[in-house]
Amino acid sequence: MSDRNDTALREAWTSPSGFPGWLSVVNNRPLGVRFMVTAFTFFLIGGVMALLMRIQLAVSENSFLGPEWYNRLFTMHGSTMMYLFSVPFLEGLALYVLPLLIGSRDVAYPRLTAFGYWTYLFGGLLFYASFLFGKVPDAGWFAYTPLSSSDYSGLGLDFWAVGLSLVEISGIVAAVEMIVTILKLRAPGMSLNRLPMFGWAMLAAGLMSLFAFTTLLVGTLMLELDRTAGTQFFNSRHGGTSLLWQHLFWFFGHPEVYIIFLPATGIVSMVVGTFARRLVGYTYIAVAILVTGFVSFGLWVHHMYTTGLPELSLGFFAAASLMIALASGVQVFAWIASLWGQRPALRSPLMFVLGFVFIFVLGGMTGVMVAIVPFDWQVHDTYFVVAHFHYVLIGGAVFPILAGVYYWLPKITGRMLLPWLGQLNFWLSFVGFNLTFFPMHIIGFLGMPRRVYTYSPGLGLDGYNLLATVGAFVLATGFAVLLIDVCYSLWHGKPAGNNPWGGVTLEWTVASPPPAYGFWELPIVNQRLPGETTPETPEGPASLARKPADQSPAQRAGSAQRANPAQRAVAALRGQPTQWRATLNSDVLTAAPQSIQYLPGPSYYPLLVAVGLVIALVAVLAKVYLVGLVGLAIAGLAIGGWLWPETQRIEQLRDSPLVADAGLPTLVSGRQSLGWWGMVCLLAILGTGLLAMLYAYFYIRLYSPQWPQEGLPRPDWLPFGIAYGLLLLTAPALAWAGHAYRHQRSNQIQFALTTVVLLTAAFLATSLHALVQYGVSPQQTAYGSLVALLSAYPWLLALVGLALVGAAQRQLWREAAVDDPFAASQLQIVSLYGYFVIVAGVLVFLTLVVPL
Amino acid sequence: MQATHPLRLILSWQCAAGLLTLTGCQGQRTQSALHPAGPAAAAIAQLWWILLTVLGLYALAVFALTLMAIFRRGSKPLNASTHHASSQAARFPGRRLILGGGVILPAMILVPLLLYSLSTTTQLRMQESGLTIRVVGHRWWWEVEYPEQGIVTANQLTIPVGQPVRLELTSADVIHSFWVPQLHGKMDLIPGKQTAFWLQADQPGTYRGQCAEYCGLQHAHMAFEVIALPPAEFVAWLNQTAPAASSATPRSDSLPADPFPLQDLAPESDGDAAQRGSRLFLKHGCGVCHAVAGSPAQGEVGPDLTLLADRRTIAAATLPNTPENLLKWLADPQAIKPGVNMPPTEATPEELRAIVAYLLSLDRQGGADERSE
């Protein structure tokens, strides 16, 4: 393989360097490194904050930090670790490793990944910009209302809400990326039951993120509306309720910790699989991961046991919270079974896995304890809980991350880390961690609540707090050792080679670091551990795809025709294409190749959209709303540029010789196309948003003595009915367009789509008029706020839909031939969106108007 | 509770172990959940020891298995460089371990635990009670009212030993949480909502409580005390306290037209320091925020001071209630609780001493201003 000439392929995939090219990079590996470096930087900053807090708490009635700064620090420490470190770091690691693991050259939506990075970076910077203005958020990382309302918190909370919104968008976008990449871009033969465990973990985390982050985004939006627009969602003086915030937040917050934990278990499975030379119970682990993800959405009330909820409800959530432990137990025992008797080498990655088992299991035990309602009544909001969640988060996420770093950094940098520094780091971290957090269980029992900047000397808390502070510095030293190790290895580390650990998954078949294109030749997989040798394939199964270099062209052509479709596709893409970037798009379940998937190259659009969004959100912060509209316009235009079909590119794809060589199309529609899957994910997101708003409506209604509140009138069914009726009529029009497309009647398609456009415009006008006429202020009651919010949602969706239909119409008008996968997929995607908007509108109409 | 003999032994061992590890003088443990002084906290503490034992043993078993997995030599030696190719094909040996240790054993532990916890929850249900206390959370103090007896105080609850006391909790601003670890778990105080709770102490004593829901700058200094008196003493306390308060103008009734007719105050050269202090109290505007029954001071922003002298602590249990501390607090509350709503009292040291004398006269027998009349 050293004699192959990969210059052309490398050029096609090389990212632009220098400035401003660096702003347009879309390759997954550079972006993955950016995510990890940025996230780790935030981690270090958050860690320093923790050390400052521990210094303040080392002795009672200390005056190192006053309440103002302490409260800001614990807020920023929690927010940084939870929002700016854990998920983004795992996202970065997955971006880097996952395509290699599944045998793909990149992820499904490279530009979307870049957009995700920029929104994450800007969100984090906005959080920290609050320091420049001296208005640092100080309401805790979960910002309970009414403390976080404008009555009790200043501009710092706006920085919090706005920064968080950007980070949430980044998380949602990353989720879509993971889901579609794992489902559609696996190498031929990697059926779903051969997916490496890290893939299952990221798939589950991605699916969970769609629902969890979107709910928080709705909640954050509602909080910011309360703070800046005078709505009353969370204000009990005007019909709202502060508990609504808690429900919305924790519906996100609990799955969030599993979104962090599951990828960490994925890392552990990969490391155990390599060091034990087997992973026992594959199906059990995969099922456990999916069950954990699903059940985690049914636990959130265990954060609210002390809010006076009914006993029955508490009991249900307690039962669910206990049962989820079983799924985690399956994973732990699968790892034990895998390691049993295998005498694994206790190298750095495995040491951190062992540390994870010890610490996480202890955290899981205290988790079971706090799941129990009466026990939680004592320890909720005390240092016992602080101990619990640090055990499960540092043990359950940071230690696996460190294991993953020691395991995969050699692949990323091509250099090994120093074994003895790894051991030193491990022991400092393990001992330091336990010294810091074990005493916290005790001081929780002794009566020390959370989030206190100091404590009374007469309660017996002093000694344990001092111990915890000492431990924190020991733990910090461990991280210092890691930094030294990484820096040293970058320059002087031993070259790692392709496979320093003897792993049998696909990332170990490429060079360290991998070339820009990843795989010269995509692998064909016919077993769960592709690198594992069997009697039939002494050189590994991938060798079946390789043709000896000394075959004549005729021989090669002949054998290409005799080869199966996967072999033919893989052979055609060997070192190809060089004028554009591509990988293979395959079936969701069986991974049979379906098309040659074009992947976009460098682009500035993702950055522009992110910048537009930031401008809009900062305008909200600074209360210059006109500038906000400018920001939205920039973002909108940039999205338009991003999605605008590149006609030349489409021509090139249609005429590519690879189609004949590979026996696969380059353009597909329907469930085969990535665009379809992206739209389905988008609809899951938009649907979750709608459900969150409907939840808010019915929740507030449940606790209102009178509905509508204060005897206000309901929206009148006639004007609203006309408006939503017009929207409903777009359904048959869309169906007509689809029908006309299938029968290739281009005139009818145009008529149908024009009808959709006109009806949508009419809906926009009439529903706005109806709302204005209805006249109930969103600022006086929670009811008014809810009506306005629920009405605005389908309205904005329809506005965007108008643009989408217009664009599809233009594309179909330009295309002479109606029978074209690209045009078909445009129409399908737009129709999916359109039907969704109609359903959303109908649900909103029924909710607001029907007097039940 | 019906416990089998071995379980009782384990529990008592655990209790002994627990006491050994956490023994300290009572004064050091007035906020300890593991030194229960009431039935609710005792039930929860017992639950804790069971949880610790059962889950601790399970965790130790997992650790032992993990160490064995790492260090045990397998029965078949494996070639280190190749993989066990039949690991997928064979029914893997670990299935029993995975299901047994990860599902069946935990389920056998968790289901009984769940049932036991449900039974404890039932034990902790609201009790019938003859005494109701209303607590309203403020930033950063506790408004305490005995509605049926007309007693209004702050930051201190007095309850009888051996009887459940009903609490009605709400908040005037943000969410707080009422927590007296030696007596019960905690219950949130939520604005716009009323949560019901109960407390019972089975031994006389003073139990410290603290706000357990972050409520802003001085959340750390929002504590209170619960004083449990033997029944006879409690009745005496009630009888002594109620008249002083019942002569008070009920809260939120109409205020006097001009509560501080400064021009009508007698000159400050009258003899008794406390008498003088009561006038200075009004002159310096303390009555704008604080109420004292039977005086023109009817403020509702800060704690009611009618019974201040009967309180063991001031500033929401931040400082003991002594003349020195009162002086310090009045002179500059911000030095003790930065961010608190109370401004410094702009008065000369001599005037401050007079005000403190007045405050120290505000007890069950009525204030200095009333007694002199």
Side-chain angles (χ1 to χ4, degrees):
Chain A
M1 274 201 287
S2 52
D3 53 1
R4 78 168 170 237
N5 187 353
D6 66 351
T7 322
L9 187 63
R10 217 174 340 111
E11 260 177 42
W13 282 88
T14 300
S15 299
S17 58
F19 195 85
W22 187 84
L23 301 172
S24 67
V25 168
V26 298
N27 297 39
N28 67 304
R29 279 186 294 284
L31 287 178
V33 169
R34 279 185 210 182
F35 265 102
M36 286 192 276
V37 168
T38 310
F40 198 69
T41 309
F42 280 126
F43 176 78
L44 293 176
I45 297 174
V48 167
M49 291 179 176
L51 290 177
L52 292 173
M53 286 157 57
R54 281 309 328 159
I55 293 174
Q56 165 62 13
L57 292 176
V59 297
S60 55
E61 300 291 352
N62 201 358
S63 52
F64 175 69
L65 291 171
E68 222 178 31
W69 271 106
Y70 186 88
N71 295 346
R72 292 168 174 174
L73 284 181
F74 81 69
T75 301
M76 291 302 286
H77 167 78
S79 302
T80 300
M81 293 308 192
M82 294 302 287
Y83 303 130
L84 303 181
F85 161 66
S86 31
V87 170
F89 188 93
L90 289 164
E91 172 61 27
L93 189 61
L95 270 175
Y96 195 104
V97 170
L98 204 59
L100 293 174
L101 267 177
I102 62 175
S104 169
R105 284 189 179 143
D106 204 322
V107 291
Y109 308 114
R111 289 175 298 185
L112 194 64
T113 310
F115 172 70
Y117 176 72
W118 294 119
T119 44
Y120 160 58
L121 179 67
F122 293 147
L125 290 176
L126 258 182
F127 263 113
Y128 279 87
S130 62
F131 281 93
L132 294 174
F133 292 87
K135 310 264 190 226
V136 184
D138 60 354
W141 82 276
F142 43 81
Y144 275 3
T145 54
L147 182 63
S148 56
S149 71
S150 47
D151 288 338
Y152 301 103
S153 285
L155 192 65
L157 258 297
D158 296 299
F159 276 102
W160 185 88
V162 160
L164 185 57
S165 302
L166 283 170
V167 173
E168 287 156 5
I169 291 172
S170 169
I172 294 170
V173 148
V176 175
E177 194 70 73
M178 282 298 124
I179 295 168
V180 181
T181 302
I182 292 170
L183 290 181
K184 293 296 294 166
L185 295 188
R186 301 194 308 278
M190 186 180 279
S191 51
L192 215 50
N193 66 339
R194 292 177 183 159
L195 180 64
M197 206 50 71
F198 189 53
W200 279 111
M202 291 310 300
L203 181 61
L207 287 167
M208 292 161 70
S209 297
L210 282 187
F211 302 114
F213 276 105
T214 307
T215 307
L216 183 62
L217 192 58
V218 169
T220 322
L221 174 74
M222 288 164 69
L223 178 66
E224 199 54 15
L225 282 173
D226 264 20
R227 288 180 55 84
T228 56
T231 52
Q232 306 290 355
F233 298 112
F234 305 118
N235 186 354
S236 59
R237 287 192 215 114
H238 292 274
T241 163
S242 44
L243 281 185
L244 175 63
W245 168 261
Q246 293 192 26
H247 282 292
L248 287 173
F249 185 87
W250 288 116
F251 187 79
F252 149 80
H254 191 79
E256 155 83 342
V257 305
Y258 287 97
I259 290 168
I260 297 170
F261 174 63
L262 288 180
T265 67
I267 297 175
V268 170
S269 288
M270 302 307 295
V271 172
V272 167
T274 295
F275 279 75
R277 297 178 299 285
R278 65 180 182 184
L279 187 66
V280 165
Y282 176 98
T283 310
Y284 288 95
I285 304 177
V287 168
I289 288 175
L290 292 173
V291 165
T292 304
F294 183 73
V295 172
S296 73
F297 279 91
L299 308 186
W300 82 92
V301 172
H302 70 217
H303 298 270
M304 298 168 63
Y305 280 162
T306 61
T307 56
L309 291 174
E311 199 181 287
L312 190 60
S313 143
L314 298 184
F316 168 78
F317 284 95
S321 304
L322 290 176
M323 292 309 135
I324 202 172
L326 299 177
S328 300
V330 163
Q331 292 206 59
V332 171
F333 275 84
W335 295 321
I336 292 176
S338 305
L339 290 164
W340 195 276
Q342 299 290 86
R343 301 283 286 173
L346 293 177
R347 310 277 297 276
S348 305
L350 193 66
M351 290 302 288
F352 278 95
V353 163
L354 291 179
F356 149 76
V357 170
F358 280 87
I359 298 176
F360 175 74
V361 166
L362 277 181
M365 297 300 106
T366 57
V368 165
M369 293 175 191
V370 296
I372 289 174
V373 175
F375 181 73
D376 187 63
W377 282 345
Q378 276 286 23
V379 299
H380 171 71
D381 257 331
T382 69
Y383 264 80
F384 187 91
V385 160
V386 174
H388 159 69
F389 65 69
H390 282 93
Y391 266 79
V392 286
L393 283 173
I394 298 186
V398 175
F399 269 65
I401 283 175
L402 290 171
V405 166
Y406 283 98
Y407 185 59
W408 276 312
L409 201 63
K411 173 59 59 186
I412 297 174
T413 62
R415 307 271 196 162
M416 298 301 287
L417 293 166
L418 284 170
W420 67 272
L421 275 185
Q423 298 285 329
L424 181 63
N425 178 11
F426 171 76
W427 287 109
L428 284 171
S429 302
F430 187 78
V431 170
F433 170 82
N434 282 294
L435 212 56
T436 312
F437 292 102
F438 195 83
M440 291 189 186
H441 295 104
I442 300 174
I443 58 182
F445 279 126
L446 292 179
M448 185 164 176
R450 281 174 77 167
R451 302 165 150 193
V452 289
Y453 75 99
T454 188
Y455 51 91
S456 233
L459 298 175
L461 302 171
D462 296 64
Y464 297 112
N465 267 295
L466 187 59
L467 195 58
T469 300
V470 169
F473 279 89
V474 176
L475 177 59
T477 316
F479 283 104
V481 167
L482 174 69
L483 278 176
I484 294 170
D485 196 358
V486 170
C487 292
Y488 177 86
S489 85
L490 283 174
W491 277 272
H492 301 289
K494 200 175 72 177
N498 284 18
N499 195 353
W501 307 113
V504 291
T505 40
L506 287 173
E507 78 271 35
W508 306 112
T509 64
V510 298
S512 306
Y517 48 83
F519 293 96
W520 167 260
E521 175 182 313
L522 294 170
I524 295 178
V525 169
N526 57 19
Q527 57 194 41
R528 201 168 269 167
L529 301 171
E532 202 172 70
T533 57
T534 64
E536 300 81 42
T537 60
E539 293 159 55
S543 65
L544 286 175
R546 276 195 289 276
K547 301 289 178 277
D550 52 10
Q551 267 189 334
S552 73
Q555 278 177 312
R556 246 175 280 164
S559 52
Q561 276 170 335
R562 283 192 301 276
N564 65 39
Q567 290 169 334
R568 184 175 166 197
V570 159
L573 283 185
R574 194 185 310 140
Q576 293 288 336
T578 54
Q579 301 304 307
W580 38 287
R581 302 177 176 187
T583 190
L584 274 179
N585 170 357
S586 59
D587 178 79
V588 168
L589 291 176
T590 64
Q594 288 176 337
S595 75
I596 300 168
Q597 181 59 48
Y598 162 76
L599 293 171
S603 163
Y604 289 98
Y605 286 120
L607 176 61
L608 283 173
V609 178
V611 166
L613 274 182
V614 170
I615 292 175
L617 288 170
V618 169
V620 166
L621 213 57
K623 309 206 196 298
V624 281
Y625 299 106
L626 212 55
V627 174
L629 286 175
V630 170
L632 282 177
I634 294 175
L637 286 171
I639 293 177
W642 177 340
L643 294 174
W644 201 260
E646 300 162 64
T647 325
Q648 280 175 322
R649 177 71 66 199
I650 299 172
E651 291 297 323
Q652 189 184 37
L653 291 176
R654 261 193 223 127
D655 301 335
S656 167
L658 283 178
V659 173
D661 283 348
L664 291 174
T666 46
L667 296 167
V668 286
S669 63
R671 254 161 282 200
Q672 291 193 350
S673 84
L674 297 189
W676 189 92
W677 285 90
M679 178 51 73
V680 167
C681 288
L682 178 64
L683 296 185
I685 294 164
L686 296 176
T688 305
L690 178 65
L691 287 176
M693 294 180 200
L694 289 175
Y695 175 81
Y697 180 92
F698 286 107
Y699 186 84
I700 289 182
R701 178 183 164 157
L702 189 63
Y703 289 99
S704 298
Q706 200 188 18
W707 195 259
Q709 292 171 339
E710 294 184 10
L712 288 167
R714 273 186 185 272
D716 192 3
W717 70 272
L718 188 57
F720 280 84
I722 291 172
Y724 286 94
L726 287 169
L727 185 66
L728 191 56
L729 284 176
T730 59
L734 279 172
W736 181 27
H739 175 87
Y741 182 87
R742 275 188 295 281
H743 294 264
Q744 304 201 9
R745 305 215 175 93
S746 59
N747 281 347
Q748 281 200 11
I749 299 175
Q750 293 299 324
F751 274 130
L753 290 181
T754 310
T755 314
V756 172
V757 168
L758 291 173
L759 284 171
T760 309
F763 161 72
L764 290 174
T766 48
S767 75
L768 190 58
H769 180 253
L771 192 62
V772 166
Q773 243 196 349
Y774 170 62
V776 167
S777 159
Q779 294 174 328
Q780 272 164 9
T781 54
Y783 180 74
S785 310
L786 287 164
V787 171
L789 182 70
L790 281 172
S791 304
Y793 192 59
W795 198 92
L796 289 168
L797 290 180
L799 187 66
V800 170
L802 207 52
L804 287 176
V805 173
Q809 213 179 355
R810 177 192 168 276
Q811 182 69 20
L812 287 159
W813 179 260
R814 284 184 54 118
E815 292 303 311
V818 195
D819 178 23
D820 168 59
F822 189 78
S825 97
Q826 291 238 302
L827 188 58
Q828 282 163 348
I829 290 171
V830 166
S831 300
L832 275 176
Y833 183 85
Y835 289 128
F836 174 79
V837 177
I838 295 164
V839 168
V842 166
L843 283 175
V844 165
F845 172 74
L846 290 174
T847 302
L848 293 181
V849 164
V850 172
L852 276 174
Chain B
M1 156 192 135
Q2 297 292 324
T4 58
H5 201 54
L7 190 55
R8 230 181 237 135
L9 278 177
I10 295 173
L11 286 178
S12 48
W13 180 84
Q14 280 295 348
C15 288
L19 284 169
L20 277 172
T21 54
L22 294 172
T23 297
C25 54
Q26 179 64 13
Q28 280 244 303
R29 300 285 183 260
T30 56
Q31 215 165 294
S32 164
L34 293 180
H35 288 75
I44 297 174
Q46 179 171 278
L47 176 59
W48 154 248
W49 294 119
I50 292 175
L51 288 172
L52 178 67
T53 310
V54 171
L55 297 174
L57 286 173
Y58 179 77
L60 286 174
V62 173
F63 298 156
L65 283 171
T66 306
L67 289 173
M68 281 162 64
I70 299 289
F71 292 113
R72 241 178 115 89
R73 192 173 291 282
S75 47
K76 280 194 274 256
L78 286 167
N79 186 337
S81 61
T82 63
H83 277 67
H84 197 251
S86 62
S87 66
Q88 289 178 109
R91 250 180 345 225
F92 58 88
R95 187 170 53 169
R96 260 177 295 163
L97 183 62
I98 296 175
L99 288 179
V103 179
I104 298 182
L105 182 58
M108 281 171 27
I109 296 172
L110 292 177
V111 171
L113 274 182
L114 179 66
L115 293 172
Y116 177 53
S117 79
L118 290 176
S119 116
T120 308
T121 313
T122 317
Q123 262 185 289
L124 297 179
R125 277 193 189 140
M126 282 300 298
Q127 313 268 321
E128 280 289 316
S129 164
L131 178 63
T132 301
I133 305 179
R134 205 167 155 264
V135 178
V136 180
H138 295 258
R139 306 215 298 168
W140 293 275
W141 57 279
W142 307 87
E143 179 188 327
V144 176
E145 188 190 343
Y146 293 67
E148 287 151 30
Q149 290 81 15
I151 298 173
V152 177
T153 182
N155 303 323
Q156 183 167 293
L157 281 77
T158 309
I159 64 174
V161 167
Q163 290 170 42
V165 173
R166 181 190 165 84
L167 296 176
E168 287 171 0
L169 309 175
T170 187
S171 169
D173 41 40
V174 301
I175 300 179
H176 302 274
S177 194
F178 181 92
W179 184 40
V180 189
Q182 285 194 280
L183 297 183
H184 204 332
K186 57 184 64 69
M187 180 58 72
D188 289 352
L189 288 77
I190 300 169
K193 192 174 155 155
Q194 183 139 294
T195 42
F197 202 43
W198 64 278
L199 276 189
Q200 180 174 328
D202 283 343
Q203 298 158 36
T206 304
Y207 307 107
R208 196 169 185 272
Q210 200 168 337
C211 176
E213 183 60 61
Y214 176 62
C215 49
L217 272 176
Q218 283 299 335
H219 165 65
H221 286 128
M222 185 173 162
F224 59 98
E225 290 194 327
V226 176
I227 300 177
L229 297 173
E233 280 181 47
F234 176 76
V235 172
W237 173 85
L238 207 58
N239 291 333
Q240 284 174 342
T241 314
S246 66
S247 70
T249 322
R251 288 182 83 78
S252 71
D253 257 18
S254 55
L255 295 171
D258 180 358
F260 314 115
L262 294 172
Q263 62 272 27
D264 291 343
L265 285 176
E268 295 170 24
S269 54
D270 271 35
D272 185 27
Q275 265 285 64
R276 205 164 76 248
S278 76
R279 281 187 273 272
L280 289 167
F281 180 83
L282 295 171
K283 176 181 166 192
H284 287 285
C286 308
V288 178
C289 297
H290 294 283
V292 177
S295 86
Q298 293 294 309
E300 290 181 6
V301 177
D304 187 298
L305 299 178
T306 311
L307 298 166
L308 180 61
D310 286 337
R311 299 213 264 269
R312 289 172 18 101
T313 63
I314 59 168
T318 305
L319 293 170
N321 188 0
T322 66
E324 301 75 41
N325 285 337
L326 274 171
L327 268 171
K328 267 197 292 192
W329 175 252
L330 287 182
D332 191 3
Q334 301 293 324
I336 296 165
K337 265 173 97 163
V340 78
N341 291 325
M342 177 165 156
T345 314
E346 313 265 337
T348 67
E350 195 271 324
E351 289 180 324
L352 284 176
R353 276 193 292 274
I355 298 178
V356 167
Y358 166 61
L359 291 174
L360 288 172
S361 73
L362 293 175
D363 60 13
R364 278 169 279 174
Q365 272 77 45
D369 52 344
E370 288 179 288
R371 263 181 296 188
S372 65
E373 280 148 19

